[in-house]
Amino acid sequence: MTVQIHPLAIVDPSVQIGEGSTIGPFAVIGAGVEIGDHCRIGANTVIEGPCRLGTHNHIFQFASVGTAPQDLGYAGEPTMLEIGSHNTIREFVTINRGTVKGGGITRIGHHNLLMAYCHVAHDCSIGDQVVMANAATLAGHVSVEDHAILGGLSAVHQYARVGAHAILGGGTMAPLDIPPFMMAAGNHASLHGINVRGLARRGIPRETILQIKRAYRLLFRSGLRLEDAMDEVSQRGLNAPEVAYLLDFIRNSRRGITRP
C-alpha cells in the first residue's frame, strides 16, 4: 500500500511516513516527525517534532501531538515524544514533548485509548492498554502504568503515579500516588477498595485477588503505621508477585500514597 497524503495537508519534506498511512486534509506535520506503517492522521491534526509514532495509530481530527512543553523553563530544546503502536487518540487531545530537566522525553506505550480533550503534559509516561476518558488530564512528570483507567475530568498532580490496574472515578483529583489495583475517587482522591472486576477481567487468579484484598486491609484498614503494616503483609505469607509489586510501589513513592 502507498502513502496517501491529502493535497490540502502540509507535510514537511523531512517527515518519514510508513506504508499504508494516510494524512487528512489541513493536517500540519512538522520537521522531525516519524510516522509508522498503517497510521491514520485526521483532518486538521497538528504533529510537531521531534516525534516518533509506531504502527497502526489513529489520531483523530484536531488533535495536537508533539507540541512544545508548557513549561516556563523550556527554551526550545529538541526534546522528544515517543508513541508506540495501536493507539487511538481522539479529538482535541494535546500531548506535549518532554523537557531537558525531566529527561527530555514523553512516552506513550501501546494499545491505549485517549478520549477527546485529554491532556498529557511534558515528561509523562503512559504504559500499555491505558484508558483516559474525556478530558482526563496529566500534569508534568506523571507516570500511568499498564491497564490503568482514568475517568472523565480526572486530573493527576505533577510527579504523581497511577499504578497498574488502578481506576480513578470521574472528576477525581489525585495529588498523591494511586497504588496499583485500587479504586480511587473524590477531591482530593481517597481509596475505595480493590478493582476486583478489572483484575478478574484481566485474568488475575482468584487467589491472587484475595491476597491483594488481604494486603489492602492490612495496609489501609488495620490501624497500623504503614511501615508496620507492610512488614505484617510479608509476615502473613502474602507472597503473590502482585503483592510484592504493591509493596515496592509504596516504598518508592515520592509524593506519598493515597489512602481511604
Side-chain angles (χ1 to χ4, degrees), residues 1-257:
M1 296 178 63
T2 59
V3 174
Q4 298 181 37
I5 301 176
H6 195 280
L8 295 178
I10 300 174
V11 179
D12 189 272
S14 68
V15 173
Q16 301 178 38
I17 305 175
E19 284 291 313
S21 291
T22 60
I23 311 294
F26 303 107
V28 179
I29 316 296
V33 174
E34 301 176 26
I35 299 173
D37 296 344
H38 305 289
C39 290
R40 289 182 287 170
I41 310 301
N44 294 281
T45 294
V46 174
I47 305 179
E48 297 182 4
C51 174
R52 182 162 55 245
L53 281 71
T55 65
H56 297 90
N57 293 298
H58 188 180
I59 301 179
F60 280 70
Q61 58 271 20
F62 299 104
S64 182
V65 175
T67 48
Q70 300 174 70
D71 184 294
L72 292 175
Y74 179 70
E77 299 91 349
T79 55
M80 185 73 182
L81 168 64
E82 284 189 355
I83 298 177
S85 299
H86 297 277
N87 295 290
T88 300
I89 297 171
R90 293 300 304 242
E91 300 86 350
F92 298 100
V93 168
T94 54
I95 307 174
N96 295 157
R97 300 192 310 275
T99 61
V100 171
K101 65 182 180 181
I105 188 164
T106 301
R107 287 189 175 92
I108 296 177
H110 311 291
H111 296 279
N112 299 298
L113 170 59
L114 279 60
M115 298 186 194
Y117 294 97
C118 286
H119 175 63
V120 179
H122 58 86
D123 305 296
C124 285
S125 174
I126 296 177
D128 300 336
Q129 299 189 37
V130 168
V131 175
M132 295 177 61
N134 298 288
T137 297
L138 306 182
H141 312 276
V142 166
S143 172
V144 180
E145 298 183 352
D146 298 349
H147 306 293
I149 298 175
L150 280 63
L153 299 169
S154 60
V156 183
H157 193 282
Q158 61 185 4
Y159 293 101
R161 299 178 299 157
V162 179
H165 301 277
I167 181 168
L168 276 62
T172 298
M173 299 291 109
L176 304 176
D177 292 351
I178 306 294
F181 319 121
M182 306 295 172
M183 298 186 296
N187 181 13
H188 291 347
S190 60
L191 300 184
H192 294 268
I194 304 299
N195 181 19
V196 173
R197 183 172 298 180
L199 294 174
R201 286 174 175 171
R202 292 292 176 189
I204 305 297
R206 181 174 179 273
E207 177 56 38
T208 299
I209 295 174
L210 290 175
Q211 285 203 32
I212 295 170
K213 281 185 174 182
R214 295 186 186 112
Y216 172 82
R217 286 195 291 268
L218 286 168
L219 292 167
F220 301 115
R221 297 293 188 182
S222 66
L224 295 170
R225 292 175 63 251
L226 187 57
E227 294 80 2
D228 295 335
M230 293 171 68
D231 291 339
E232 188 69 17
V233 169
S234 299
Q235 293 170 13
R236 293 285 184 93
L238 302 177
N239 53 11
E242 290 79 1
V243 174
Y245 159 58
L246 171 60
L247 296 180
D248 285 342
F249 185 97
I250 294 172
R251 289 190 188 97
N252 293 324
S253 176
R254 296 171 59 189
R255 286 201 51 80
I257 294 295

